[in-house]
Amino acid sequence: MAPRLNFDELVQDERVHRKIYTEAEVFDAEMEQIFERTWVFVGHESEVAASGDYKTITIGTQPAIMTRDEDGGINVLMNRCMHRGSTICQEQRGNSSYFRCWYHGWTYTNRGELVGLPYAAGYGKSFDRSKFSLVRARVGIYRGLVFASLNPEVQEVAEHLARAKYYIDLFMDLSPEGEIDARCGTHKYGYDGNWKFQMENGVDGYHPNFVHQSFFEIQGKQLGRKVMKLFTEESAYQTKDLGNGHSILDMAPQRKLRRPVNNILRGSTSQASIDSYMESLIRRYGDERTSEILGASNVNLAVFPNLLIIGIQFRNVIPVSVNRSDVYLTPTTLKGVPEEINVARLRAHEAFYGSAGGGAPDDVEMFNRCTAGLRVKGAEWLELSRGMEREHTGEDGSPVAHITDELPQRAFYRQWRNLMCGAAANVTELRPRPAAALD
Amino acid sequence: MSSLSRQQAEEILFEEARILDDRRYDEWFAMLTDDAIYWVPCNGEGLDPNREISLVYDDHARLRDRIDRLGSGVAHAQSPPSKTCRLISNVQIEQTSGDAAGITSAFFLYELRHARQRIFAGRYHHRLRFEDGRWKIASKKAVLINNDEVIDNLTFIV
């Protein structure tokens, strides 16, 4: 048998080995060491708004069901009958208080208790049905975002989110009620490539001018200014390491109060709606906080390991196999704003995102090309050193670098290495780099 | 002029199919009215584009942008472009009056790109309007049967 790969050597500070994208052994270890040990994003509370609502999800590659029970609680139950292993829920979403396995009729509540056991006499008196509840994942909720964990020892979700919380708050506070809805459906696309390509790309400020040139040219024409300057050396935008593998493209520094609104709405909304929206924000949060919040209206936030918050969407990156990934984009609407504002958000999202959008499919094309290119064996490493020399500590204590720098990817892979090498899932600060080896 | 016959409807749909398969997008654009909508719903039939996300919900201006972008030479998801061949059948006139008509049809669409062939199927809903002496497309809604599933790339015009 070939010797097991040494994950510590495959991921170094300034580069990663191609095998982390191509080897099934790495993928299997990721499912155990990362997706079974830390918090995994599974959805938003509003997707199961009413009692009995459910949607099927995955934790890594494992099927599960997110349910809203009759007491209003959110449960994450593994989609596996405790009898002979069949999945018990076949629909993507729906409403039901019970789930029946149609193989032999075992029936569970939406909290996972086994309540229906056909012809129970056959099991004898000592059979204890309370031992046959569905396997439950831990549930952690932050500002309506639902995370699940298969690790009973995992730290609290708020602690896991570290400095990403500040940006999640901004995203939610774009609503004058501080709440968003995720009930307009989901864009689903996939690609023949490793799940990490999408996580890297979502916070990559170096690629836009090349991958999205065609979109920026059209957008520039509409806005009457050069969009591409924002992703050159002259840009004041930053990358920021938010701890625990999370990071952001921080596009707030240059923002003024008005422009971000126009940016979301792209000229398609009446001034009356914009004014009314702005007034309600200022009434709720005051001028200064409103400015800060509007700066978040164009975020690219990565939450390790599988969540991206980009534009108006939650993006759930779903690993399928070492070279196949699915990506679910769920757009959000804001509570407490004129309907026109939310319609404009949907239209702005569609322009760029989804399988037919003007931007995201071009990213996906690059992931497919990377998969093809990484079959080459003569070159073993992928370079992530951009901006290492100009990385510094920002105002809030976070490591920051230029927008085009590969700081977010380095932050992601430090956390990756920590978990893959067996560190506890509650590691908050990162250990020092090991000496580079393996060529 | 009289109301639209099924033969006339088929001629328009077949002509459109041929133009799209040839990627003669400017010619397709000329088949549309100035207030045309091109709609590809997501997650089902498409009931209300203002409350549901769509795969595509383009008005005339956005459609122009879409076509310009596809022709830019740097729309990577269409570089190389998709080769398509679509068959349209089961054409039914839903409603027709003097200068407006609604047609539904079923389609099969084969797509080839990067040596991989995919099959799409669904229903088209066309609304036509008689303008400037000919029938023009006022709206086209393409309901794919797999629009609630993972679709890797749908950047060609359905």
Side-chain angles (χ1 to χ4, degrees):
Chain A
M1 205 174 87
R4 285 177 63 88
L5 294 167
N6 182 343
F7 304 130
D8 197 32
E9 290 178 344
L10 294 177
V11 166
Q12 300 172 3
D13 272 12
E14 76 290 3
R15 60 182 189 169
V16 294
H17 198 275
R18 70 177 182 89
K19 286 187 177 174
I20 68 165
Y21 306 97
T22 61
E23 297 296 313
E25 180 189 333
V26 175
F27 182 85
D28 293 344
E30 285 174 337
M31 293 307 104
E32 287 182 11
Q33 298 287 82
I34 297 173
F35 282 84
E36 290 180 26
R37 292 176 69 222
T38 189
W39 288 104
V40 174
F41 173 72
V42 293
H44 186 261
E45 275 187 324
S46 65
E47 293 178 85
V48 289
S51 123
D53 281 357
Y54 67 84
K55 78 159 191 167
T56 45
I57 56 174
T58 56
I59 303 175
T61 55
Q62 302 184 41
I65 318 164
M66 171 170 139
T67 72
R68 173 84 69 174
D69 64 41
E70 279 60 26
D71 295 330
I74 288 187
N75 308 269
V76 171
L77 311 168
M78 302 314 286
N79 192 359
R80 189 261 194 215
C81 182
M82 298 307 285
H83 175 219
R84 299 263 288 273
S86 166
T87 52
I88 57 166
C89 179
Q90 316 308 321
E91 301 296 325
Q92 296 191 27
R93 54 193 167 263
N95 184 287
S96 180
S97 300
Y98 299 95
F99 298 100
R100 169 170 294 170
C101 174
W102 281 99
Y103 197 179
H104 304 90
W106 287 32
T107 303
Y108 305 85
T109 67
N110 56 10
R111 266 190 284 262
E113 302 113 333
L114 176 64
V115 289
L117 185 64
Y119 324 136
Y123 282 101
K125 283 191 176 123
S126 62
F127 186 86
D128 180 359
R129 66 174 72 186
S130 73
K131 289 184 177 149
F132 290 85
S133 293
L134 297 174
V135 175
R136 293 177 66 94
R138 265 189 74 176
V139 174
I141 298 177
Y142 185 79
R143 295 294 302 263
L145 298 177
V146 183
F147 298 85
S149 182
L150 297 172
N151 176 6
E153 310 284 299
V154 73
Q155 69 199 124
E156 291 303 313
V157 74
E159 206 181 323
H160 162 73
L161 291 171
R163 294 185 296 277
K165 287 200 298 286
Y166 169 78
Y167 293 96
I168 294 171
D169 289 345
L170 290 179
F171 183 82
M172 302 300 174
D173 290 346
L174 276 164
S175 155
E177 294 177 12
E179 281 185 37
I180 54 106
D181 262 325
R183 295 199 271 185
C184 295
T186 297
H187 274 156
K188 303 168 190 176
Y189 61 79
Y191 58 91
D192 293 333
N194 191 268
W195 64 279
K196 297 186 292 298
F197 288 142
Q198 176 65 94
M199 288 305 295
E200 293 172 14
N201 166 269
V203 280
D204 177 341
Y206 193 20
H207 82 287
N209 282 352
F210 310 97
V211 176
H212 304 307
Q213 182 186 331
S214 62
F215 185 83
F216 289 157
E217 280 172 359
I218 303 280
Q219 198 187 30
K221 215 167 57 185
Q222 290 165 350
L223 298 174
R225 61 189 168 90
K226 286 197 159 52
V227 183
M228 293 173 76
K229 268 178 73 173
L230 304 174
F231 299 101
T232 63
E233 286 283 353
E234 288 115 73
S235 177
Y237 290 179
Q238 291 182 325
T239 48
K240 195 184 269 193
D241 177 344
L242 302 175
N244 290 349
H246 320 316
S247 65
I248 191 168
L249 300 184
D250 190 347
M251 298 181 267
Q254 288 178 338
R255 294 206 174 282
K256 305 250 187 327
L257 195 63
R258 283 276 159 182
R259 182 187 284 180
V261 175
N262 292 335
N263 219 25
I264 312 171
L265 307 175
R266 297 165 60 98
S268 56
T269 309
S270 71
Q271 197 56 44
S273 286
I274 293 177
D275 290 345
S276 137
Y277 173 40
M278 291 292 288
E279 278 160 26
S280 61
L281 281 179
I282 291 166
R283 206 161 43 237
R284 164 80 186 247
Y285 303 110
D287 278 343
E288 200 177 320
R289 175 70 178 165
T290 297
S291 257
E292 206 178 345
I293 292 165
L294 289 173
S297 64
N298 200 10
V299 300
N300 280 48
L301 173 68
V303 176
F304 188 94
N306 72 326
L307 166 65
L308 294 161
I309 297 180
I310 300 181
I312 69 156
Q313 85 203 249
F314 305 133
R315 190 181 298 196
N316 187 357
V317 179
I318 302 168
V320 176
S321 68
V322 68
N323 53 16
R324 179 72 201 174
S325 308
D326 289 343
V327 185
Y328 285 13
L329 276 56
T330 302
T332 64
T333 51
L334 305 174
K335 287 193 182 175
V337 305
E339 190 189 358
E340 215 184 2
I341 300 277
N342 282 326
V343 174
R345 280 167 69 94
L346 294 180
R347 294 292 92 84
H349 174 91
E350 285 155 359
F352 194 86
Y353 299 105
S355 316
D362 292 337
D363 289 313
V364 168
E365 178 71 10
M366 297 306 148
F367 308 156
N368 288 320
R369 292 179 188 182
C370 285
T371 301
L374 289 179
R375 295 197 186 102
V376 171
K377 288 192 172 172
E380 296 297 300
W381 295 94
L382 290 84
E383 182 71 18
L384 292 173
S385 66
R386 186 177 167 82
M388 274 178 99
E389 287 179 359
R390 53 185 176 187
E391 205 172 302
H392 59 282
T393 304
E395 279 171 24
D396 66 352
S398 300
V400 294
H402 185 258
I403 185 76
T404 62
D405 290 346
E406 284 154 345
L407 173 143
Q409 293 72 29
R410 293 193 290 274
F412 180 91
Y413 282 112
R414 272 200 301 278
Q415 183 71 355
W416 187 95
R417 192 176 63 199
N418 276 328
L419 291 174
M420 291 291 279
C421 296
N426 58 5
V427 169
T428 317
E429 282 317 312
L430 307 160
R431 66 207 168 80
R433 63 182 301 197
L438 192 84
D439 242 309
Chain B
M1 52 149 294
S2 59
S3 58
L4 186 79
S5 69
R6 200 178 74 188
Q7 189 184 341
Q8 278 177 302
E10 285 184 345
E11 278 168 12
I12 293 164
L13 296 182
F14 295 169
E15 176 68 4
E16 185 201 12
R18 181 63 191 266
I19 285 173
L20 288 177
D21 285 340
D22 291 347
R23 297 192 299 281
R24 289 182 274 139
Y25 288 153
D26 285 332
E27 284 179 51
W28 179 60
F29 196 66
M31 293 180 79
L32 311 176
T33 62
D34 287 347
D35 57 353
I37 296 283
Y38 167 51
W39 184 13
V40 186
C42 190
N43 312 120
E45 288 298 311
L47 300 175
D48 182 354
N50 289 345
R51 288 170 184 272
E52 302 162 349
I53 199 71
S54 297
L55 287 160
V56 180
Y57 192 78
D58 281 353
D59 60 18
H60 198 249
R62 281 174 77 140
L63 202 40
R64 185 68 254 171
D65 289 345
R66 179 179 297 275
I67 291 168
D68 288 346
R69 200 187 76 80
L70 288 172
S72 69
V74 283
H76 310 295
Q78 279 297 304
S79 172
S82 297
K83 291 171 84 169
T84 62
C85 182
R86 68 197 81 194
L87 306 179
I88 294 175
S89 185
N90 309 9
V91 177
Q92 291 175 305
I93 309 276
E94 277 202 325
Q95 141 279 309
T96 176
S97 64
D99 61 355
I103 314 167
T104 66
S105 57
F107 67 91
F108 255 134
L109 191 160
Y110 292 77
E111 185 239 14
L112 176 72
R113 183 168 182 270
H114 274 329
R116 194 164 100 182
Q117 189 162 298
R118 297 186 292 168
I119 301 172
F120 293 91
R123 294 198 72 84
Y124 287 137
H125 302 268
H126 283 79
R127 298 204 163 278
L128 305 185
R129 202 159 65 222
F130 198 81
E131 239 181 55
D132 307 328
R134 63 190 173 115
W135 289 97
K136 287 188 169 185
I137 298 168
S139 75
K140 174 181 181 174
K141 178 180 173 187
V143 182
L144 293 161
I145 62 169
N146 64 335
N147 68 15
D148 201 15
E149 305 294 332
V150 165
I151 299 177
D152 287 14
N153 181 342
L154 198 71
T155 47
F156 55 88
I157 306 274
V158 185

